[in-house]
Amino acid sequence: MNHYLTAFQVIGMRELRRFFTQRGRFLSALVRPLVWLLIFATGFRAALGVSIIAPYQTYITYETYILPGLCAMILLFNGMQSSLSLVYDREVGPMRLLLTAPLPRWWLLFSKLTASVLVGCLQVYAFLAVAVLFGVKLSLAGYVLILPALIGVGLMLGALGLLLSSVIRQLENFATVMNFVIFPVFFLSSALYPLWRMRESSELLFYVCSWNPFTYAVELVRFSAYATSAPVQMAIVAGSGVVFFLLANHLYDPARR
Amino acid sequence: MKTALKLDHVSFDYGQKAALKDVSFSVADGTFCALLGPNGAGKSTLFSLLSRLRIPAKGQIDISGRSLLQDPMHGLAGMGIVFQQPTLDLDTTVRQNLIYFAGLHGLRGVDAHHSITRALTRMRMSERADEKVRLLNGGHRRRMEIARALVHNPRILLLDEPTVGLDAQSRKDITDHVHDLVAEGLAVLWATHLVDEIGDHDQVVLLHEGRIIADGPAQTLRGEDRLLDWYLHRTHAENVMP
C-alpha cells in the first residue's frame, strides 16, 4: 500500500509543480471565469432576470446565479486541459513513463485524475477569492461546503477528459473535440440560465440540458454552496464519473490495439 | 548465467499489418544484446511489448523467469526502460525528475535519496543533479534518462535507440557507459540500427521485417566480414538508407 501512496504523492506533486510553473495556465484559468462574471453577467443582468428557485430563498443577482456554474466551468476546462496534457504526454513520452510503473493502470490513472482535480480546486478558490473583491460572495460555510462537491465534479469531468484522451490519438483531433465538447457541455446546462428559461424557448433543448451530466454538476455545486442537500445531483455526478472512469480505464488497456 | 529476458514465439500486428512474426530470443544476465535492424523492422513495437504498453497477439514474454503477461508488476519492477523519445520534465531539476520516477517505483525519503545518488554516480551525473533538465545538452539528458532507469536497481535495462540525435562523442560515451553496466551484471537490450555501437562480444539479434533472421555473438555472426557489411548483406542493402 505504501508503494501506491508514494506514487500517488509524486504524481500529485508533479501536477502541482507543473501548474505553478505554468503561470499562463493559471492566469487563463482565472481570467476566463472572471470575464464571464464581470463582463457577460453585467451585460446580461437586465435581460436574464432570475426568479426565486431552489436553493435560493430570495431574489438574487445574475452574478450570484452564475457563480456556481463558473466554478464548474473552471473544473470543466481543467479536466479537458489535463486530458490534453495526457494526449501531449503520450505523443512526446512522459505518459509512457507513468504507464510503465509497476502499479495497476487504474491506480496510475486515478492518481493522475485526482492530482488534476486538486489543481482544479485551487483554481476555483482563486477565482472565488477574486470574485469577493467584486462583491460576489458566498457565506463562509458555503466556501467549505462546496469543496466535496468540487472534488466530485472535478473527478467526473476529469474522468470525461481521461476518456476523451484515451480515444484521441493526435493533438489536432483533440483541439477539435475541445470545441465540440466544452461549448456544448457548458451551454447546454444550467450554468448560465435556469432550465425553466430554456424550456420557455425550446422544449427540445430543455430535454437535452436535462440529460447533460454537467447540469447536475453545476447544480451540485450550487446546492452545496447554500447548504442544501442534492442527492439526485450527487448520484448522477458520481454515477457518470464512475462510468467515464471505467470506460477510460478499459480503453487504456494495453490489450486493446 | 541466468536468463533475464526471454521471448517465445511472440507475434504482433497492427490490424492487417504484421509487425512482429514469431519472434523468439533470450538475453542472459551480464549480457549486452543489440537488437539490430533497419527503421521499420519492428524494434519499437518489440519495446512496447516488453514495456507492456502493448500486449502480444501470440507468444510469451518472461522477465526473470516469470510471465510478463501474468505477472506484469513483477516484470515492470525488474526492468529499467529508456524510450526512444525523451520522457523528461524539462523545467524541473535532474533530481526532481528522478524523485518522481523513484516514487512511481515505491521509493521515498532516504531510500529514494540513496538510490538516486547511486544511479547518478553510476552514470557520472552527480554534479548535474540540481541543474534544470532544459539546460542539459542532449548527451547529458540521455545519461540522465539512463540514470533514472537505474534508480530502482533493475536487473534488465531496455534502451530503444538511445543515441539517436547525439553527436559522435556523446554516442560513444553512452555506449561505453552501458557496456560498463553490463560488466556489473546487468542484462541490456539495446535497440539500434548503428553497428558501430556493437562490440565483438555482444550478442546480436537481427530483426528484419518483423522476423529474427540472426541471433548470436557479433564476432561469430560476422565471420571474416566487417559487421556493417554483414548487416547490409543480411538486410538487403538496397533497402537501407545510407
Side-chain angles (χ1 to χ4, degrees), chain A residues 2-12 14 17-18 21-22 89-105 108 112 252-257, chain B residues 12-15 48 51-57 72-74 76-77 81 83-89 91-92 96-97 99-108 148 160:
Chain A
N2 236 352
H3 183 180
Y4 283 60
L5 294 178
T6 305
F8 183 86
Q9 188 184 348
V10 291
I11 292 169
R14 176 176 183 261
R17 195 165 39 230
R18 275 159 62 98
T21 51
Q22 295 171 352
D89 275 5
R90 195 173 49 205
E91 279 204 338
V92 301
M95 191 63 184
R96 291 175 169 216
L97 195 67
L98 182 71
L99 294 179
T100 53
L103 284 169
R105 193 150 294 192
L108 296 166
K112 182 93 180 156
Y252 267 100
D253 188 330
R256 285 187 79 256
R257 279 174 282 149
Chain B
F12 185 84
D13 56 77
Y14 294 100
S48 67
S51 54
R52 210 182 160 263
L53 290 168
R54 296 181 190 279
I55 300 283
M73 301 306 119
H74 169 266
L76 291 171
I81 307 167
F83 295 102
Q84 189 174 353
Q85 288 178 315
T87 53
L88 299 165
D89 284 335
D91 291 315
T92 54
Q96 283 169 330
N97 267 272
I99 287 172
Y100 171 66
F101 181 81
L104 291 179
H105 281 261
L107 295 167
R108 63 190 298 170
R148 185 179 61 187
D160 189 5

Side-chain angles (χ1 to χ4, degrees), chain A residues 5-45:
Chain A
L5 294 178
T6 305
F8 183 86
Q9 188 184 348
V10 291
I11 292 169
M13 291 301 291
R14 176 176 183 261
E15 203 70 23
L16 277 178
R17 195 165 39 230
R18 275 159 62 98
F19 178 69
F20 284 114
T21 51
Q22 295 171 352
R23 289 196 190 90
R25 187 177 156 194
F26 180 70
L27 277 177
S28 67
L30 202 57
V31 167
R32 195 180 302 118
L34 283 174
V35 166
W36 281 95
L37 186 69
L38 303 177
I39 301 173
F40 179 86
T42 306
F44 283 80
R45 185 187 297 161

Side-chain angles (χ1 to χ4, degrees), chain A residues 108-121:
Chain A
L108 296 166
L109 293 175
F110 177 74
S111 301
K112 182 93 180 156
L113 177 61
T114 311
S116 112
V117 171
L118 181 65
V119 166
C121 289

